[in-house]
Structure formats: structure tokens, C-alpha cells
Amino acid sequence: MTEQQNIVGPDQIFFSVTDDKGVITDSNSVFETISHYPREELLDSPHNIIRNPEMPGGAFRLMWDALESGKPFIAYVRNMAKDGLPYEVLSTVTPLEGGGYLSVRTRVSDPEFASKIWWLYGETRGKEDELLGEGKNRREAAEIGAQFINDKVSDHGFVDYEDVQRFLLPHEISIWEKNASNEVVAEGRLAPVSKAVSELRTEEENWSDRQDAMAELADQLTSVGAKIQASLARTADLKTQADVWSGKLTPMEAIPLNVAVSLGSIVTEYVDDLQKRLQALRGSIEHVRSTIALARVQTRCLAAFVREAAEDSAGGRKLVSMRTLTSALTTEVEAMGKDVAQYGTNLSRCERRLQAVLSLIEIPQQMIMDWLKSVQEFGPSVDMPELISAVAGEIESSASMVDELNGLLGRLGTIEQKSPRHMLDLLHTVDAEVRKLQV
């Protein structure tokens, strides 16, 4: 792929709206600047006027599959400006409630990760060219290319391309927002709009922070759960070691270990189920994080329009664009509400299962502690230093894990999960104020 390109600046955020067939119906001045196309040439043109031939058809097949199912689509895209030079963007595309699609683009903020995707695109483009040479049509080649991308992202640790999207947008936006400057608050007639948008951004940041904290906690719970699984496996191994002296141990020595191991197998089933529920919770968190990140980039674009409209006395076209963005944002925030409801269900299930695990694990743990105490106090009936040492080590290890789990369980209740109602109210305020300005 070519090295010379047009560079997208850290504060340049641009958007376009198309109809259901991909024909451009609206855009902003940044898009015109980056693409080197005048507005009159962009409007009523198919969006692929900026398509770079280096991009594989499979990437766009994935996009249309997502959009046609009502889902947003996120990807790195290399477009081509009118001057023939490429420009690289992170592109988000969402279906609009009234039909058509909204695309908001920012600069690529993690070139290192993006390089992996550009390489994959190159591989896919090469495969598609081979298929075209073998007589496949472009649609067939694109469908195979889409499957190729879906399969190959596993080389980078992802399940499929949807998994890439859930990672990509929050990751990119977190870097991008650190480098982008804060918007100047508009005054005068747009002051109420500017104030509501600023408050909306604060709300989104708080939501994002809560989800980041919850994701970290879920990862810690999963890690401790894995440690408990390993601990229970070691407890089962204690029986194997005890069997070496099975004919020499007294019932008082053998029975507690056997019962502890039997109970441990029951706890193992609960821990296995906890891990599955934590995985579902992690999926819910990632979905919410991705939705919040999409809302944040659209809010940034809305803020840019507010600033541009404040500097433009005419600004009528920008007001229409602001309402389009507000409508799209409302859809995303409403989706957040549904995501949070599912998230809450998964969180409650994890809490209940975690409480059950903690209650159950105390029984075999106490039995093994009593066994060790008895052996240490009255002496073993047979010389078995390795077994005694293993039991002592396991008691110390499991006690530490139980303490850690109790601490994490306590933290679960401290992370507040709010309804997005206030954000919807702010968006209603924005739309109402913009409608006043249109009169």
C-alpha cells in the first residue's frame, strides 16, 4: 500500500449522511477538506466516490451485513481523496431511524494496531483478485473476502470481526480523546445547546469510567475463579497422595480428606458455572463500552457542529445536521439502556453464584483445616511429611483466594449502574433548542 497520504488531524472529525443506497445527502466542511471534493460534487454522489481500490470488498461486505441487520459498523478504512492520495480513518457507520446511514470518521489513533488490519486488508485484497481472475464475480469475491477477514482476525486473538469492533472503538476513542483539544463553549443563541452537549459529554465520560472499572473487576474475578479451579484440582490430588497410605491411615485421618475432596467436586461445578456467567458479564460490559464509545464520538461531532454553527451566522444547514446527529445519538443512548438492563441481569447472576461458591468452599476448607490441626496436635499414624506439607500449603493458598473473592464481591456493589435517562433528557433539550433556532 502507498506511503504518501493526506493526514487527518487530531481535531478533525467529519461526517456524512447517505440514503439507503449509499448516496451522499449531507456532509460537513471537514469531509470536504479531507476528501478534496467540493460540497456540490459530494452531494448526490455515491459514497464510494472516495473508495480506495486497495480496500478489499470483503470489508464492505461485512459493513453491509451489519447495517442491514440494524447494527453499527466500526472499521479502519483507507479512502482516496480527489487528488489521488489516500487518507486513513477510523469509521463508524450507523443506521438512521428514518432510513439511510450516518458515518462519523476520526483519525487513526493507534497506528501499530491499525498496521495489523492494513496487512489483513492487503491479504484479503490479494485473495479477492485471485478469485476474480478465476472467474468469480465481485459479489462472490467480496463474500469470500468477508469470511477470510472473519477467520483471519483469530491470528490477533479475536473470535471474529464483531469481536474486533467491540475492542476497536473504545480503544481508539480513549486514545483519540486524550490527544484532541476540548471544544470552545458556544455563546449567544447556541449557548443552551452548547451547555447541554457539554453536560452530555461529562455523563458519557462517567459512564465509560464505570464500565472500565467493572471490566477490570470482572477480569479479576475471572482470574481468581481460575485460581480456585486450580486449587480444587490440587485438593483432589491430595486424595491421590493420601491413597498411598490408605492402608495405614486411621478413619479419623482418611475420612475428612475423602469428604473434602467429594465436596470439592461439587464446588468445582459451581465455579465452572461462575466462570461462564463471568464470561457473559464480560460480554455485556464490552457491548456497553462499545455503545458508549460510539455515543462519545457522535457527541464530539455534534459539539464540532455547535462550534461551527456559532461561528456561521447563516448556519441553517448545520442546524439540520445537528438534528440528524442528535437523532442518531438518541438511538445509541436508548440502546445503552437496553444493554444496561441485560448487564444488570448478568451481574445479579454472577453475584448470586459467587456467594454460593464462597459458602460452599468454606466446608471442604474447614474440614482440611481440622484434619491438619488434628494431625499436628496428636501426630500422624504414619510418617507422611509430603502430604502434610501439601495440605498446609493448600490451606494457605485457598484462604488467600477466599479473602480476595470476598473483597471483590464487596466491590461489585460499589460500582453504580445508572439509567441513561438523564442523557436522553439532555438530547431532548438539544433537539428542542435547535428546533427553536430553525423557526
Side-chain angles (χ1 to χ4, degrees):
M1 292 189 177
T2 183
E3 293 182 5
Q4 191 178 5
Q5 59 181 278
N6 293 322
I7 302 299
V8 179
D11 291 319
Q12 289 183 304
I13 181 168
F14 51 108
F15 99 122
S16 55
V17 178
T18 69
D19 62 17
D20 291 332
K21 295 182 179 179
V23 175
I24 299 171
T25 59
D26 195 9
S27 64
N28 68 338
S29 59
V30 179
F31 183 23
E32 297 155 23
T33 299
I34 296 294
S35 70
H36 291 211
Y37 281 100
R39 176 175 170 77
E40 57 270 17
E41 199 167 341
L42 286 173
L43 291 182
D44 299 323
S45 293
H47 208 281
N48 63 13
I49 190 175
I50 56 169
R51 180 167 176 174
N52 191 318
E54 295 177 347
M55 284 291 296
F60 297 105
R61 182 67 267 162
L62 288 171
M63 179 189 74
W64 284 112
D65 286 347
L67 297 177
E68 288 169 0
S69 65
K71 298 177 182 177
F73 182 76
I74 298 97
Y76 291 126
V77 178
R78 180 174 272 135
N79 291 321
M80 181 176 285
K82 188 175 182 180
D83 61 3
L85 292 179
Y87 62 93
E88 298 172 352
V89 295
L90 173 73
S91 176
T92 67
V93 190
T94 52
L96 293 172
E97 191 173 291
Y101 306 99
L102 167 70
S103 176
V104 178
R105 277 95 73 196
T106 65
R107 73 179 297 166
V108 173
S109 297
D110 185 353
E112 183 177 351
F113 181 74
S115 67
K116 300 173 183 177
I117 303 301
W118 301 135
W119 182 266
L120 175 55
Y121 284 169
E123 284 187 294
T124 309
R125 178 76 262 181
K127 186 173 184 63
E128 289 175 0
D129 287 343
E130 289 178 10
L131 292 168
L132 292 171
E134 293 168 2
K136 298 283 188 184
N137 61 41
R138 292 194 177 278
R139 182 181 182 85
E140 292 170 329
E143 288 174 350
I144 295 171
Q147 188 59 54
F148 182 78
I149 292 172
N150 248 331
D151 293 340
K152 289 292 287 183
V153 293
S154 63
D155 293 350
H156 304 296
F158 299 98
V159 176
D160 53 24
Y161 191 75
E162 279 198 30
D163 196 24
V164 174
Q165 292 183 86
R166 283 189 290 270
F167 160 79
L168 181 57
L169 189 56
H171 174 69
E172 274 278 333
I173 296 308
S174 66
I175 300 172
W176 174 65
E177 287 209 319
K178 290 176 184 177
N179 296 321
S181 62
N182 291 321
E183 290 82 9
V184 177
V185 177
E187 298 178 352
R189 64 193 186 115
L190 282 166
V193 177
S194 180
K195 180 182 177 182
V197 171
S198 178
E199 192 173 342
L200 180 62
R201 285 193 60 203
T202 300
E203 279 289 298
E204 290 169 349
E205 288 170 7
N206 292 338
W207 267 70
S208 187
D209 289 343
R210 285 195 295 271
Q211 295 309 308
D212 288 347
M214 195 65 239
E216 180 184 357
L217 183 55
D219 286 344
Q220 290 174 336
L221 283 166
T222 301
S223 175
V224 177
K227 292 177 185 177
I228 291 176
Q229 287 174 318
S231 175
L232 291 168
R234 290 194 298 271
T235 299
D237 288 340
L238 295 178
K239 183 178 183 301
T240 303
Q241 295 182 47
D243 286 344
V244 175
W245 294 281
S246 59
K248 300 177 181 179
L249 293 177
T250 66
M252 290 292 289
E253 291 172 330
I255 292 173
L257 281 180
N258 290 334
V259 174
V261 170
S262 298
L263 289 172
S265 64
I266 297 173
V267 179
T268 296
E269 293 180 11
Y270 275 73
V271 175
D272 290 345
D273 185 68
L274 173 63
Q275 293 293 69
K276 291 177 184 177
R277 294 186 186 279
L278 285 169
Q279 186 176 8
L281 175 62
R282 196 64 168 83
S284 296
I285 293 169
E286 288 304 317
H287 202 279
V288 174
R289 290 175 80 191
S290 184
T291 305
I292 293 171
L294 182 56
R296 291 179 77 172
V297 74
Q298 290 177 348
T299 301
R300 271 276 189 173
C301 193
L302 178 59
F305 264 112
V306 173
R307 186 177 66 251
E308 288 181 21
E311 297 168 354
D312 183 355
S313 57
R317 176 167 65 86
K318 293 183 176 65
L319 294 177
V320 173
S321 300
M322 286 162 62
R323 292 200 65 193
T324 299
L325 281 162
T326 301
S327 175
L329 260 169
T330 300
T331 300
E332 295 307 322
V333 173
E334 288 173 344
M336 282 167 58
K338 296 176 183 177
D339 290 342
V340 168
Q342 181 60 51
Y343 162 85
T345 299
N346 287 332
L347 179 60
S348 296
R349 289 171 177 169
C350 285
E351 284 184 296
R352 289 195 298 271
R353 184 57 75 208
L354 181 54
Q355 288 166 345
V357 167
L358 284 167
S359 297
L360 284 170
I361 205 170
E362 288 177 0
I363 302 172
Q365 184 185 38
Q366 188 61 51
M367 293 192 74
I368 293 176
M369 288 173 66
D370 290 344
W371 180 90
L372 181 63
K373 183 178 179 181
S374 176
V375 168
Q376 290 174 335
E377 184 174 350
F378 299 105
S381 60
V382 64
D383 189 25
M384 46 182 179
E386 294 90 352
L387 178 59
I388 293 172
S389 176
V391 170
E394 194 51 44
I395 288 172
E396 183 179 352
S397 174
S398 60
S400 173
M401 284 183 288
V402 168
D403 288 343
E404 191 173 358
L405 271 182
N406 274 311
L408 294 174
L409 179 60
R411 283 179 56 197
L412 277 176
T414 65
I415 301 176
E416 182 185 13
Q417 296 304 318
K418 297 172 62 177
S419 161
R421 183 69 260 168
H422 183 50
M423 282 191 277
L424 289 172
D425 290 342
L426 289 169
L427 286 166
H428 176 75
T429 298
V430 170
D431 190 59
E433 292 295 332
V434 172
R435 276 191 283 113
K436 288 180 187 177
L437 295 173
Q438 288 181 302
V439 175

